[in-house]
Amino acid sequence: MGSQGGSIVRKPRFLCLHGFRTSAEIMKIQLHKWPKAVIDRLDLVFLDAPFPCQGKSDVDGIFDPPYYEWFQFNEVQSLLFSLGGILSGGLPGLQAKGIALQKVPKIKFIIIIGGAMFRSTKVVEDAYSFSIDTPSLHFLGETDFLKPYGIKLIESFKNPVVVHHPKGHIVPRIDEKSLEKVTAFLETIENLVMMEEEDKDGEENICSPI
């Protein structure tokens, strides 16, 4: 919880979806190379994908197993579909269309690291057929093999905030220049959370018995 104007402000909560054949623990380790001033402003929930890894992980020998996959198809499909950034980028549009996540609250903001669009024509039509107005922060690597698809994903969002970095398909470090963009994005979503809390308080006051 943070404090603003003497009141307690809830931290923005993010469900963290790890990448292809990695794990929640690995993503937690990678994210904690970000500045503490950034991490401390976020409520991060880490989740393992449902399927055990069915092949060699690119992080084997770097991070300890177990490793997990979000989907299990053939090798090519799995590479295209099971990266956390691809899944995360498609969910707001699928939810808005009433196709996914109908029993949970609306996705209010999103951070995408090494994202890309789904390749399935049907999913593309459902997830990106209209401009997505969810506030979004995108990390785009100069040497990321998914960069062309990441650019297309960014173009599907209204007013995206984009942080460029020189590395590949990784969780990048946040340098001083990038920190300015990240901080501005955090301030935007913190204000959204604060307004939501104020609206809830107002409704409770209206409905409370005298």
Side-chain angles (χ1 to χ4, degrees), residues 4 16 24 39 47 54-55 123 148 152 157 173 194 201 206-207:
Q4 188 164 342
C16 302
I39 295 297
L47 179 69
Q54 287 193 330
V123 179
K152 288 185 177 294
F157 282 82
R173 295 186 182 278
M194 184 173 64
D201 290 342
I206 291 171
C207 298

Side-chain angles (χ1 to χ4, degrees), residues 101-164:
L101 304 180
Q102 295 305 289
K103 295 183 179 180
V104 298
K106 178 185 176 182
I107 297 172
K108 297 181 177 66
F109 28 73
I110 188 168
I111 298 175
I112 300 174
I113 303 170
M117 297 179 75
F118 281 102
R119 298 293 300 278
S120 164
T121 302
K122 173 59 177 170
V123 179
V124 168
E125 290 174 354
D126 289 335
Y128 318 109
S129 60
F130 58 92
S131 188
I132 303 167
D133 62 1
T134 305
S136 60
L137 172 64
H138 304 255
F139 289 86
L140 189 66
E142 183 61 32
T143 60
D144 189 345
F145 69 98
L146 288 174
K147 181 182 176 182
Y149 306 106
I151 293 172
K152 288 185 177 294
L153 175 66
I154 290 168
E155 291 171 349
S156 70
F157 282 82
K158 291 182 180 177
N159 303 315
V161 177
V162 184
V163 173
H164 296 270

Side-chain angles (χ1 to χ4, degrees), residues 2 28 38 49 68 72 80 128 138 144 165-166 177 179 189:
K28 186 184 298 185
V38 171
Y68 300 94
Q72 290 185 333
L80 292 174
Y128 318 109
H138 304 255
D144 189 345
H165 65 88
K177 183 178 179 181
L179 184 58
I189 63 175

Side-chain angles (χ1 to χ4, degrees), residues 35 38 41 137 139 161-163 174-188:
V38 171
R41 294 171 75 165
L137 172 64
F139 289 86
V161 177
V162 184
V163 173
I174 297 178
D175 59 22
E176 187 173 340
K177 183 178 179 181
S178 300
L179 184 58
E180 293 179 9
K181 285 189 174 183
V182 173
T183 300
F185 178 77
L186 294 180
E187 289 173 353
T188 297

Side-chain angles (χ1 to χ4, degrees), residues 49-61:
F51 301 107
C53 174
Q54 287 193 330
K56 181 174 174 56
S57 170
D58 288 341
V59 301
D60 189 13

Side-chain angles (χ1 to χ4, degrees), residues 1-4 7-14 41-43 106-110 135 184-202:
M1 297 284 186
S3 177
Q4 188 164 342
S7 60
I8 301 299
V9 180
R10 178 170 53 86
K11 293 181 182 180
R13 173 171 289 183
F14 287 89
R41 294 171 75 165
L42 306 173
D43 179 6
K106 178 185 176 182
I107 297 172
K108 297 181 177 66
F109 28 73
I110 188 168
F185 178 77
L186 294 180
E187 289 173 353
T188 297
I189 63 175
E190 285 168 348
N191 286 333
L192 290 175
V193 171
M194 184 173 64
M195 288 189 292
E196 183 182 68
E197 294 295 308
E198 289 175 349
D199 288 343
K200 286 182 180 178
D201 290 342

Side-chain angles (χ1 to χ4, degrees), residues 23-80:
S23 69
E25 182 61 27
I26 292 171
M27 187 170 190
K28 186 184 298 185
I29 293 170
Q30 292 176 314
L31 277 179
H32 276 79
K33 64 186 178 184
W34 283 4
K36 188 174 185 297
V38 171
I39 295 297
D40 285 350
R41 294 171 75 165
L42 306 173
D43 179 6
L44 302 175
V45 179
F46 295 88
L47 179 69
D48 280 324
F51 301 107
C53 174
Q54 287 193 330
K56 181 174 174 56
S57 170
D58 288 341
V59 301
D60 189 13
I62 303 172
F63 295 102
D64 293 333
Y67 313 121
Y68 300 94
E69 300 177 0
W70 293 104
F71 298 95
Q72 290 185 333
F73 300 106
N74 63 45
E75 186 73 15
V76 175
Q77 287 176 314
S78 192
L79 177 61
L80 292 174

